[in-house]
Amino acid sequence: DIQMTQSPSTLSASVGDRVTITCRASQSISSWLAWYQQKPGKAPKLLIYKASNLDTGVPSRFNGGGSGTEFTLTISSLQPDDFATYYCQHFRYTFGQGTKLEIK
Amino acid sequence: QVQLVESGGGLVKPGGSLRLSCAASGFTFSDYYMSWIRQAPGKGLEWVSYISSSSSYTNYADSVKGRFTISRDNAKNSLYLQMNSLRAEDTAVYWCARELHTATTITGAFDMWGQGTMVTVSS
């Protein structure tokens, strides 16, 4: 089975910062990677699919990159609404363990 | 209104059964693959099961294989998850989710989620 590992597990940042979350696959997954944002008590929200495609309505400050085994989610200028937990996911099945983005 | 609404969660004893339902509206349900995903309290997301648009294909996480059964009724715009032999570790919020597809390809990503239904397995 393919394992997905995110880093860091927790990230402290300030409004306006540029932040990057990394997701590594245990073997090549081509571009079959999605990113989600989840806030407490809510369902996850799709941000990025197929590694770099922004879902409809997602702000352009979110950017996804990578292929094969290493992927990144970059938020170019953090907004107050962005503080949440982020998950990567390999094609339908395996989620990463999550990265909690906290206010510094 | 485009939405998914889950129901059927609750408190059940270990070894018991529960059937979750997911009602879809506002889109052509029969066009989409659907999945169940769960999240135990304080934990991460875990994909549980998926079903293809015409019910031809299903798959399950190893943790639920042989105990859970996914099904759908496209005429009723509904998705189901029959959960048998429930264990304490099945305690979680369960979401149904729609799998995004573009004009040319599936994506393996979930672009629409319900509000979730809580399943608690405890004696």
Side-chain angles (χ1 to χ4, degrees):
Chain A
D1 289 0
I2 295 173
Q3 307 299 318
M4 307 301 294
T5 304
Q6 290 182 231
S7 60
S9 295
T10 306
L11 180 57
S12 296
S14 302
V15 173
D17 284 353
R18 177 186 178 92
V19 298
T20 297
I21 299 168
T22 299
C23 179
R24 288 185 175 86
S26 58
Q27 62 190 75
S28 177
I29 60 169
S30 185
S31 296
W32 297 111
L33 188 98
W35 288 98
Y36 299 86
Q37 176 194 69
Q38 187 183 30
K39 296 184 178 179
K42 299 295 186 182
K45 173 189 174 183
L46 177 65
L47 301 173
I48 304 278
Y49 64 93
K50 290 194 76 177
S52 60
N53 295 272
L54 220 59
D55 193 30
T56 304
V58 175
S60 59
R61 64 180 181 272
F62 291 91
N63 181 263
S67 65
T69 61
E70 187 153 333
F71 302 85
T72 57
L73 173 69
T74 299
I75 309 172
S76 59
S77 178
L78 276 173
Q79 299 302 301
D81 190 50
D82 298 339
F83 293 95
T85 299
Y86 292 83
Y87 292 91
C88 65
Q89 177 213 9
H90 164 233
F91 189 86
R92 188 185 293 152
Y93 300 127
T94 311
F95 289 90
Q97 81 279 14
T99 294
K100 186 175 183 180
L101 179 54
E102 299 179 328
I103 300 175
K104 186 184 287 185
Chain B
Q1 187 176 0
V2 181
Q3 63 178 1
L4 297 168
V5 179
E6 300 95 338
S7 60
L11 175 63
V12 61
K13 289 182 168 54
S17 298
L18 215 52
R19 189 194 196 206
L20 304 184
S21 298
C22 170
S25 59
F27 65 97
T28 305
F29 178 69
S30 58
D31 282 351
Y32 289 87
Y33 284 27
M34 299 293 295
S35 281
W36 289 96
I37 298 109
R38 69 183 181 183
Q39 186 171 41
K43 303 296 185 182
L45 300 168
E46 180 186 19
W47 169 83
V48 173
S49 181
Y50 102 93
I51 187 167
S52 62
S53 53
S54 60
S55 304
S56 298
Y57 304 103
T58 61
N59 200 5
Y60 300 89
D62 287 344
S63 57
V64 307
K65 201 169 289 184
R67 301 188 297 123
F68 289 13
T69 302
I70 191 171
S71 62
R72 66 191 294 163
D73 185 337
N74 287 343
K76 294 183 178 179
N77 292 329
S78 292
L79 176 73
Y80 307 101
L81 186 68
Q82 178 67 44
M83 304 187 295
N84 298 330
S85 303
L86 282 161
R87 306 166 179 167
E89 53 265 35
D90 296 318
T91 295
V93 174
Y94 285 73
W95 288 283
C96 60
R98 183 181 81 171
E99 186 172 314
L100 173 69
H101 62 75
T102 69
T104 56
T105 183
I106 56 175
T107 66
F110 304 120
D111 69 333
M112 184 185 298
W113 299 62
Q115 85 288 354
T117 188
M118 183 71 203
V119 172
T120 303
V121 184
S122 174
S123 54

